[in-house]
Amino acid sequence: MFRRRSGIEIKSPDQLAVMRQAGLVVARALHAIEEAATPGTTTAELDAIAREVLRDHRATSSFLGYRAHGAVPYPGVICASVNEEVVHGIPGSRVLREGDLLSVDFGAIVDGWNGDAAVTILVGQVAPEAAELSRITEAALWAGLDQARVGAHLTDISHAVESTIVAAEQEAGREFGIVEDYGGHGIGSRMHMEPHILNYGAPGRGPVLRPGMALAIEPMVTLGNPAVMVQDDAWTVVTLDGSLASHWEHTVAVTEEGPWVLTVLEDPVR
Ligand code: MF3
Ligand code: CO
């Protein structure tokens, strides 16, 4: 496949169609997990659901065995991050409780092409500010996705994400934290590719978006300070101040017809 000067992988329409298949696998697994994530469920059970969906679709995991920071290969097919855990929580024996704010991230590969998405799930009844945090993080994601258009600049996405959070702060009369240490990414023949996508910043900078590019946009927002640290398991990212965090993500393709969100359950009727 060929690359433009920007260094961003350009997919053919046929390749994007395969990425849509990978995205559908991701959407189906996350949907099943949303249904299953009730009080009393362990995060390992949610990981097992995702493994079953992979098997059913003859897909493989983007996450299992992934080495982001060197030594420790990732042991799950999902990330399950509870409350003050922001991203990369390792699924295990932890039992979900009423009121937990759970972010689940999942990636699948079909014929060598990746899809990547994350949702925040409200476990039972959650505090109003936790539900609000998830709602505004998802809204920021969709504002970013809407900028994935031919001719836009990369940081138009970043700016749209940040602006949505800033507007929500004004409305709520409180501050939220936009996590700066992690961000979105190009995606396609690998899960993490050029470019890195910040969730804040001025618009109109960075590469111009072209048809055939695919991006994973993923705001991470906290109810407190945006500072995070990695725990001793070498993966789990938590807020330094212990505040709740939400993570939402979709993979989107840039097409002449506009943004094509590859990780939704159903294609919108045009
Ligand atoms: N899906 C995450 C992201 O959006 C990456 C997960 S790291 C892994 O960038 F090790 F779990 F794969
Ligand atoms: Co991602």
Side-chain angles (χ1 to χ4, degrees), residues 116 185 216 218 249:
D116 185 8
H185 48 95
E218 48 181 319
E249 174 178 20

Side-chain angles (χ1 to χ4, degrees), residues 62-63 66 74 79 88 105 116 185 191-192 218 235 249:
S62 312
F63 294 8
Y66 189 80
Y74 191 73
C79 300
H88 304 168
D105 193 340
D116 185 8
H185 48 95
M191 171 171 61
H192 288 150
E218 48 181 319
W235 280 105
E249 174 178 20

Side-chain angles (χ1 to χ4, degrees), residues 2 21 36 48 83 100 109 111 114 116 120 124 150 169 214 220 266:
F2 59 96
Q21 292 311 306
N83 295 336
D100 280 343
I109 306 172
D111 290 342
N114 286 263
D116 185 8
T120 296
V150 174
E169 283 175 329
M220 287 146 270
E266 282 171 58

Side-chain angles (χ1 to χ4, degrees), residues 109-243:
I109 306 172
V110 171
D111 290 342
W113 295 93
N114 286 263
D116 185 8
V119 295
T120 296
I121 300 169
L122 316 178
V123 181
Q125 281 277 108
V126 307
E129 63 268 27
E132 166 87 346
L133 174 67
S134 175
R135 204 177 54 73
I136 67 152
T137 307
E138 186 183 12
L141 165 61
W142 282 96
L145 292 167
D146 190 54
Q147 297 297 316
R149 295 176 180 279
V150 174
H153 285 264
L154 182 71
T155 69
D156 294 348
I157 295 171
S158 314
H159 185 70
V161 168
E162 182 180 29
S163 302
T164 303
I165 302 299
V166 169
E169 283 175 329
Q170 262 135 28
E171 197 166 314
R174 65 172 297 166
E175 288 190 11
F176 300 104
I178 300 177
V179 173
E180 297 185 355
D181 291 6
Y182 298 85
H185 48 95
I187 181 168
S189 60
R190 286 181 291 118
M191 171 171 61
H192 288 150
M193 307 185 77
E194 289 295 311
H196 183 64
I197 308 174
L198 297 174
N199 287 311
Y200 59 91
R205 313 270 167 82
V208 174
L209 303 183
R210 305 280 177 219
M213 290 180 176
L215 306 169
I217 302 174
E218 48 181 319
M220 287 146 270
V221 184
T222 76
L223 273 184
N225 195 279
V228 296
M229 60 173 284
V230 179
Q231 285 187 327
D232 288 343
D233 62 13
W235 280 105
T236 312
V237 176
V238 294
T239 56
L240 262 188
D241 63 4
S243 62

